[in-house]
Every structure is written in structure tokens, then in C-alpha cells.
Amino acid sequence: MTTVPVDRTAPAPVPAQSIYQSRVADYWNAEENPVNLELGKIDNLYHHHYGIGAADLSVLEEPDPDLRREAITTELHRLEHAQAELLSAHLGPLSPADRVFDAGCGRGGGSVVAHLRYGCHADGVTISAKQADFANEQARGRGIDGKVRYHHRNMLDTGFTSGAYAASWNNESTMYVELDLLFAEHARLLRRGGRYVVITGCYNDTYGQASREVSLINAHYICDIHPRSAYFAAMARNRLVPVHVQDLTEATVPYWELRREADHLVTGIEDTFLSAYRNGSFQYLLIVADRV
């Protein structure tokens, strides 16, 4: 089924945003974190999220320091790419005529993964002008800029055509926004029967209030991690019906354990993530929902 094309005739305005969102934009416009940049240089797929799956710990046994760094970086990138592939696999079935929406696209890796899998058109949105420019340059370098484009817009109010998208997603970007506003925009953009996917960290309601570790993660990333229950309640209010839920907490622990050993990539938050996962206060979830 061919969807309505997105209107690209008018230049995109600077996104309307709150003071908080402006601070987030400033953060990402200035961000040059090696854990985001060095991994992406391997194959020009820049993922702004974490990894899943069993890690090859033999990379830690490499005696040569330079080769060890390279091997660890490559393995972390493999785990991050596996996460992107898992999310993308839940978007389908899609055809090359379909459009997908990447909300909070970062430097654009997720949109490229979806396009390579399905041949579909992709629109990525980020509140960071620097990220949008970077991602568009990557798309041009791959020769896919006719089908994969990135926009400096607010994912809560994109201005894109209603019902134009067959699928949409957030990959670790929901903690920067109010869920009802976000899911209302996804519901508006998706056609009936369209698919929404989110991978996110959330705090575990059964633990109680947000733990100390969750608070430290919030402070580190200038975000506001939502409780698990908030996702399902907000989806229900916005015509998004979950069809699949997967707890990826155990699957992401090996990534964090390996990243903690990467002296050239550590950010200082690694032990906090591991503690939060292990004490049960923090979960890493995949939620797949249909727009009704």
C-alpha cells in the first residue's frame, strides 16, 4: 500500500520547543561522545542507543593495547547494531513504497537500517540541527538521500502529513518528552493498522519510586525516565494497542559489562546502569503496538 507523500515544499522552521527541550537540543548540538562517534566510524552507521546479546569477551584478551581498543569498539558496535536490527524487524511487513518515521533519530543509524531491510522511505526527526545535518550527509554519502531524509523538527509536532506512515518508532528517546504528547503525534502520523515500536529504559513500578540509580541516569542525560506503567496507559489513551512486549534487561547487561572495560569509551555511567538493572529498579523494554 502506497502512503501519502510527505510535504517537503516548505522549508522546515526551527522547531517550537520548551525551555527544557532547548536545553536538550543544546546538549546534543554540543555532544561529541566517543562512544557514539567511534563506533559509528566502523561502517558509517551511527547508533545513539545501547546493545543487546551475548558479548564476545575474547576481545578483552588482546594484549596489544591498540588492537584491544579496536576489537572492543567493533564488538560494542556489533551489539548496538543487533539492537537496531531487532527493532527494525518488528516494523514490518513493509514495502519499498511505504514510509516510516524515526522519532528522535539522533545521527540517523536507525532510519538507514530500516531502509536497508525494507527499501522503504524514511523520515528521521531530531531537535538537534547538528544531528540532522550530520545524518543527511551520511545519507548522501550512501546514495540513499532520495529515500532517507532527516529533519530538524520537534517529534511532538512534526508538521508531516496525517496517516502518511506505515510504521514509526522511538529508540531510547521517549525519556525526553511527555508520553501522551508523543503518542498522540505517532497516532496522527500512522495509518490505521500502522505499527509503532519503542525500545526504552523505564523504571520498574513494582520497585516503588525511581531509584537512586535512575535519578543518576536522569541527571547524566538531562532526561526524565518514565515508569513502565506510563507507557501502556499513554498508549491506551492514544489508539496504540500493544501486540508484543519483550523484556531486554538481561540481554543488554553483557553490553554494559563490556563497555565498562572500554577505557577509551567509558562515560562514568556504566556501573550505575548495571546496578539499576541488577537491583530490579530499571528495565529495558521493547514494546510493539498497532494503531487502531
Side-chain angles (χ1 to χ4, degrees):
M1 176 179 177
T2 302
T3 56
V4 179
V6 176
D7 181 10
R8 305 180 192 277
T9 57
V14 175
Q17 56 199 38
S18 66
I19 295 173
Y20 165 73
Q21 287 176 314
S22 295
R23 286 188 62 208
V24 172
D26 290 343
Y27 173 88
W28 288 110
N29 281 330
E31 184 268 339
E32 294 286 344
N33 199 317
V35 78
N36 289 323
L37 295 173
E38 294 304 314
L39 275 62
K41 290 177 183 177
I42 292 172
D43 57 4
N44 290 323
L45 279 174
Y46 290 81
H47 298 303
H48 278 241
H49 55 72
Y50 312 130
I52 57 170
D56 179 5
L57 298 181
S58 68
V59 297
L60 299 175
E61 301 170 5
E62 172 56 54
D64 182 277
D66 292 336
L67 293 178
R68 184 177 186 271
R69 286 163 57 111
E70 181 181 346
I72 292 174
T73 302
T74 300
E75 180 62 4
L76 288 171
H77 184 65
R78 184 187 69 82
L79 296 173
E80 291 192 6
H81 188 72
Q83 192 262 36
E85 289 285 4
L86 176 68
L87 189 155
S88 183
H90 283 90
L91 296 173
L94 297 170
S95 76
D98 285 325
R99 292 188 176 275
V100 298
F101 170 50
D102 182 356
C105 63
R107 288 186 172 92
S111 293
V112 176
V113 170
H115 168 72
L116 294 178
R117 176 182 285 267
Y118 300 107
C120 57
H121 297 259
D123 285 292
V125 163
T126 172
I127 207 166
S128 165
K130 182 178 178 181
Q131 287 183 342
D133 290 344
F134 182 95
N136 278 318
E137 183 62 30
Q138 293 298 310
R140 284 190 290 272
R142 288 179 174 270
I144 59 174
D145 51 309
K147 299 197 76 172
V148 178
R149 298 184 183 182
Y150 302 93
H151 312 264
H152 178 214
R153 300 192 185 191
N154 190 332
M155 63 181 171
L156 302 181
D157 183 17
T158 63
F160 293 157
T161 305
S162 298
Y165 294 89
S168 64
W169 70 90
N170 286 91
N171 198 346
E172 296 182 15
S173 54
T174 53
M175 62 286 298
Y176 290 102
V177 295
E178 296 177 46
L179 292 180
D180 273 299
L181 297 177
L182 175 67
F183 293 157
E185 182 68 351
H186 279 285
R188 184 185 72 80
L189 293 174
L190 287 168
R191 68 193 187 199
R192 179 179 286 273
R195 174 64 50 86
Y196 172 70
V197 182
V198 58
I199 294 182
T200 188
C202 55
Y203 75 78
N204 185 354
D205 300 78
T206 63
Y207 183 91
Q209 295 298 313
S211 67
R212 175 180 178 274
E213 290 85 359
V214 169
S215 296
L216 289 172
I217 294 169
N218 279 337
H220 185 85
Y221 290 110
I222 321 176
C223 65
D224 186 15
I225 293 167
H226 304 290
R228 180 179 63 193
S229 61
Y231 284 88
F232 300 98
M235 284 182 179
R237 290 190 292 266
N238 289 282
R239 306 183 68 175
L240 296 172
V241 179
V243 294
H244 176 72
V245 180
Q246 187 173 348
D247 187 347
L248 299 174
T249 306
E250 289 300 319
T252 197
V253 167
Y255 167 86
W256 286 99
E257 290 177 332
L258 179 59
R259 180 166 146 178
R260 182 175 57 180
E261 302 299 321
D263 294 340
H264 60 301
L265 298 174
V266 291
T267 62
I269 200 66
E270 288 76 16
D271 284 330
T272 303
F273 269 87
L274 287 168
S275 295
Y277 289 138
R278 288 168 175 159
N279 68 26
S281 66
F282 192 49
Q283 293 178 293
Y284 197 51
L285 290 189
L286 163 75
I287 307 171
V288 183
D290 286 341
R291 196 278 199 194
V292 297

